[in-house]
Amino acid sequence: MTASDATILNPNDRIGILGGGQLGRMLAMAAIRLGLRPVILCPDENCPAAITADQHIIADYEDEAGLATLAAAANVVTYEFENVPAASVACLTRLGARVAPGATPLSIAQDRLKEKEFVRSLGGKTPEFYAVDSLEDLRAGLAVTGTPAILKTRRLGYDGKGQTRIGTDTDNLDRTWDAAINHAWAEVGARPSILEALVPFQCEISVIAARGVAPDATGPAPIAMYDPPKNDHRNGILWRSTVPAPVPLAVINDAKAMTHTMLEALDYVGVVGVEFFVLADNTLMINEFAPRVHNSGHWTEAACTISQFEQHIRAVAGWPLGDTTRHSDARMENLIGDEVTAWQNHLATPNVLVNLYGKQQIRPGRKMGHVTMVSA
């Protein structure tokens, strides 16, 4: 689905969601409030989104019968995470389903090398990088990126998974240099990867933006952006997002301008999250982008009239985008692992919105919910 071939949905139409995690759950809740009926495809019978679904198709993401059921049931299909198999989107398209944001941004975001090349093709800056398909490539790449560097799998990594650092204080100092390289290659599973220079940035910010559908074939598609938050991580996982970000307005404007360029280049429909490193001289490098609603945009449900989840539903439904004005300052914190056991304390705290995902098993490093503190 692109801006040029969209059909406007009506209340009581059905919106398909590939994926049943917390993002699918929050998208479905927003759709329900707008009078739409969510159809979830997820192999997990007890996934977080199951309770919100008008229909839950319990099938693997590449199960053609399940995808056919989804295509027949939904007026439009979207996805909640970028690791949905590209083949699933291709299958839905063959079956006549409209999919937003579509196959192109998904295929780019799924491959870190393609992602970096795409950003640079638009004039954006990224850390130095090198494609790695072998130990010999890794050695050659380190001559380009220098150290410290980070080796990441090209596909399927998230929240610090599928990556390892080389030449940092966290390395085992008893290893020889060759042993350290061999260890890093083994850590990523000896599979196609990308080597990136570690960038000494002063902070990370992200732009949560939406591109909708043009009201007519000749007009421009509307674009709306939220205030960028400053993001802090722990153990490779987003821990906290704070708005407003403590960066100059010129930096914010540059980040929004680059995001605008990316949305137009992709003929994008829906919400996107673009992560930027802010360097010491207030220039920007793009870390990555996610073709979906984004963890660093969760604060919008407490500090804006229109959350990122409603904005995404509006965009893929062909409806007008909502106002992104922030009415409060906010700090969102993820509840990771057993941090969720303090949920009652958060409920008892004034000006805190609590969102628990309904996951049945607590595991270290697993996002179990989030809280957002707001202030005038």
Side-chain angles (χ1 to χ4, degrees):
M1 174 183 175
T2 67
S4 60
D5 65 7
T7 300
I8 297 174
L9 270 61
N10 293 308
N12 288 313
D13 280 347
R14 304 182 111 193
I15 183 162
I17 302 173
L18 278 170
Q22 64 262 24
L23 298 181
R25 177 188 178 105
M26 289 181 275
L27 285 170
M29 292 168 68
I32 290 167
R33 194 169 60 77
L34 293 173
L36 297 167
R37 300 166 63 190
V39 180
I40 307 294
L41 188 149
C42 180
D44 180 4
E45 181 178 0
N46 298 309
C47 66
I51 196 172
T52 67
D54 186 69
Q55 179 181 354
H56 180 191
I57 303 166
I58 302 172
D60 186 81
Y61 295 118
E62 294 182 290
D63 182 276
E64 292 201 9
L67 292 169
T69 302
L70 180 64
N75 299 88
V76 66
V77 178
T78 190
Y79 42 83
E80 65 138 8
F81 66 112
E82 63 269 37
N83 287 329
V84 167
S88 300
V89 174
C91 179
L92 285 166
T93 302
R94 287 197 309 271
L95 292 166
R98 294 189 294 113
V99 184
T104 299
L106 185 67
S107 67
I108 293 172
Q110 285 182 342
D111 186 323
R112 289 187 170 105
L113 179 61
K114 289 174 64 175
E115 184 179 49
K116 292 287 190 295
E117 291 171 342
F118 169 70
V119 168
R120 288 199 173 182
S121 74
L122 299 178
K125 294 172 62 178
T126 73
E128 287 295 330
F129 64 90
Y130 195 90
V132 174
D133 293 307
S134 66
L135 270 172
E136 290 71 25
D137 288 340
L138 179 53
R139 292 189 180 93
L142 287 165
V144 174
T145 65
T147 56
I150 185 165
L151 182 66
K152 303 177 181 179
T153 56
R154 284 177 59 172
R155 294 178 176 273
L156 299 178
Y158 66 97
D159 285 347
K161 299 177 177 66
Q163 58 184 258
T164 188
R165 297 189 177 198
I166 304 172
T168 68
D169 292 339
T170 59
D171 286 337
N172 185 336
L173 298 180
D174 293 332
R175 291 193 188 105
T176 65
W177 183 237
D178 277 347
I181 294 174
N182 291 337
H183 175 77
W185 185 232
E187 280 284 288
V188 298
R191 52 184 167 164
S193 300
I194 181 172
L195 182 70
E196 298 179 18
L198 278 179
V199 177
F201 58 92
Q202 61 178 359
C203 69
E204 180 192 283
I205 64 172
S206 54
V207 175
I208 308 300
R211 185 172 182 267
V213 174
D216 59 69
T218 60
I223 291 178
M225 301 191 188
Y226 293 93
D227 291 341
K230 175 182 177 290
N231 301 320
D232 297 297
H233 295 76
R234 293 190 309 194
N235 300 318
I237 303 172
L238 180 67
W239 167 48
R240 178 173 61 195
S241 293
T242 306
V243 284
V247 297
L249 180 59
V251 172
I252 290 173
N253 289 340
D254 287 347
K256 287 184 174 181
M258 187 63 211
T259 302
H260 189 286
T261 298
M262 293 172 67
L263 290 172
E264 292 290 356
L266 294 166
D267 196 17
Y268 197 89
V269 175
V271 164
V272 70
V274 186
E275 297 175 358
F276 293 87
F277 294 141
V278 182
L279 307 187
D281 61 358
N282 285 325
T283 59
L284 294 168
M285 282 188 176
I286 293 181
N287 179 29
E288 61 184 25
F289 81 92
R292 53 169 172 80
V293 288
H294 196 259
N295 195 171
S296 68
H298 288 356
W299 63 270
T300 60
E301 64 184 344
C304 300
T305 302
I306 307 301
S307 73
Q308 65 164 342
F309 306 104
E310 178 174 333
Q311 194 79 288
H312 185 79
I313 297 298
R314 284 175 175 236
V316 301
W319 293 0
L321 299 183
D323 184 11
T324 57
T325 302
R326 176 174 53 83
H327 56 67
S328 302
D329 293 347
R331 184 176 78 252
M332 185 283 302
E333 293 183 2
N334 280 316
L335 302 177
I336 301 170
D338 61 9
E339 290 176 349
V340 74
T341 59
W343 60 271
Q344 292 188 45
N345 294 336
H346 295 299
L347 287 174
T349 305
N351 299 316
V352 173
L353 183 146
V354 179
N355 194 324
L356 305 178
Y357 302 152
K359 296 179 179 179
Q360 298 186 5
Q361 184 178 4
I362 298 174
R363 294 197 298 265
R366 193 181 198 193
K367 295 172 183 173
M368 302 298 299
H370 67 267
V371 294
T372 305
M373 289 68 77
V374 297
S375 59

